[in-house]
Amino acid sequence: GAGVSQTPSNKVTEKGKYVELRCDPISGHTALYWYRQSLGQGPEFLIYFQGTGAADDSGLPNDRFFAVRPEGSVSTLKIQRTERGDSAVYLCASSSQPAEGVYTFGSGTRLTVV
Amino acid sequence: AQTVTQSQPEMSVQEAETVTLSCTYDTSENNYYLFWYKQPPSRQMILVIRQEAYKQQNATENRFSVNFQKAAKSFSLKISDSQLGDTAMYFCAFAPDGGATNKLIFGTGTLLAVQP
């Protein structure tokens, strides 16, 4: 597609439930990133994929968070046993030039845990 | 730790005037990238301007320019001839390990309001 697409745009879930957030990057972009933006804060890095593999997952806060990119294109961020503190906007970005610091961001998924 | 600090939570400017947003960062690296991103209510982070640390010349993009002071670790954004559409959150960001960039470190943002 022309841009980075994230679905759903908004997601409300109950505490303790499992959620999946999807990111469809720009076609041909090998690098894909997930960020989490809490209210009133800047985005914080979660995980970086180069192709199908997670090149850096140092930003994942705990083992309830997991992300996959099985075919090197679409990525899914999975959160188990959601907590109210997980409420945030989850942003995805992709790049064909990660070494040049050139990224395109999606519009994010706003996750609300009630 | 590498950090980015934006000390102005909110700024206001009159339409057609000039405004400067401040950003400082902390790093021991010599090669890196600096960015300003705009985030309107649509939530998408839009790249405004990008600076490579090894370049002494300040980057410019139309009405947007930066004042990059490497020794002072300062990277301010100047918006000239402000327009109503410039109203948004502005984030300063730092990318370490120039040439092996895999993450951005963001500041907490400045909310800019352009008044008619």
Side-chain angles (χ1 to χ4, degrees):
Chain A
V4 177
S5 176
Q6 291 189 247
T7 54
S9 179
N10 294 282
K11 174 73 176 179
V12 180
T13 191
E14 292 181 347
K15 179 176 178 293
K17 297 289 189 183
Y18 168 83
V19 296
E20 290 189 352
L21 312 180
R22 176 187 168 108
C23 173
D24 203 335
I26 291 174
S27 179
H29 280 194
T30 57
L32 185 145
Y33 307 79
W34 284 98
Y35 287 81
R36 179 168 70 173
Q37 186 175 18
S38 300
L39 189 64
Q41 300 296 315
E44 293 179 309
F45 170 80
L46 294 177
I47 188 168
Y48 158 56
F49 288 91
Q50 180 60 41
T52 60
D56 183 350
D57 64 357
S58 62
L60 294 177
N62 52 59
D63 61 6
R64 296 187 298 106
F65 288 75
F66 189 71
V68 296
R69 194 185 185 200
E71 298 178 357
S73 178
V74 171
S75 176
T76 304
L77 178 65
K78 308 180 180 192
I79 310 174
Q80 299 177 323
R81 304 184 302 281
T82 52
E83 300 176 357
R84 293 196 177 86
D86 298 334
S87 296
V89 173
Y90 290 82
L91 294 166
C92 177
S94 71
S95 177
S96 62
Q97 303 169 277
E100 299 296 316
V102 178
Y103 311 87
T104 302
F105 281 82
S107 294
T109 294
R110 181 180 299 282
L111 175 66
T112 304
V113 182
V114 297
Chain B
Q2 293 160 329
T3 58
V4 176
T5 301
Q6 293 180 250
S7 59
Q8 306 154 314
E10 296 183 21
M11 293 280 285
S12 182
V13 64
Q14 291 295 125
E15 196 174 6
E17 296 294 307
T18 295
V19 64
T20 298
L21 307 183
S22 301
C23 173
T24 58
Y25 58 95
D26 189 18
T27 183
S28 59
E29 298 182 8
N30 190 50
N31 191 21
Y32 49 85
Y33 297 97
L34 293 161
F35 308 83
W36 279 98
Y37 279 91
K38 170 184 178 181
Q39 188 178 42
S42 68
R43 301 194 305 239
Q44 184 182 18
M45 301 289 280
I46 301 166
L47 179 64
V48 173
I49 201 162
R50 171 176 166 269
Q51 174 81 42
E52 294 154 322
Y54 66 86
K55 289 187 176 178
Q56 293 186 337
Q57 186 173 7
N58 289 324
T60 63
E61 287 288 341
N62 301 314
R63 298 182 295 108
F64 300 88
S65 61
V66 298
N67 183 2
F68 173 47
Q69 301 289 329
K70 191 172 183 179
K73 297 179 183 174
S74 172
F75 184 62
S76 60
L77 174 69
K78 185 171 82 171
I79 305 174
S80 303
D81 185 26
S82 297
Q83 301 176 359
L84 296 177
D86 295 334
T87 293
M89 282 291 292
Y90 285 81
F91 290 95
C92 179
F94 164 87
D97 299 327
T101 303
N102 61 11
K103 65 181 73 170
L104 293 172
I105 299 168
F106 287 86
T108 52
T110 296
L111 179 60
L112 176 65
V114 180
Q115 307 293 342

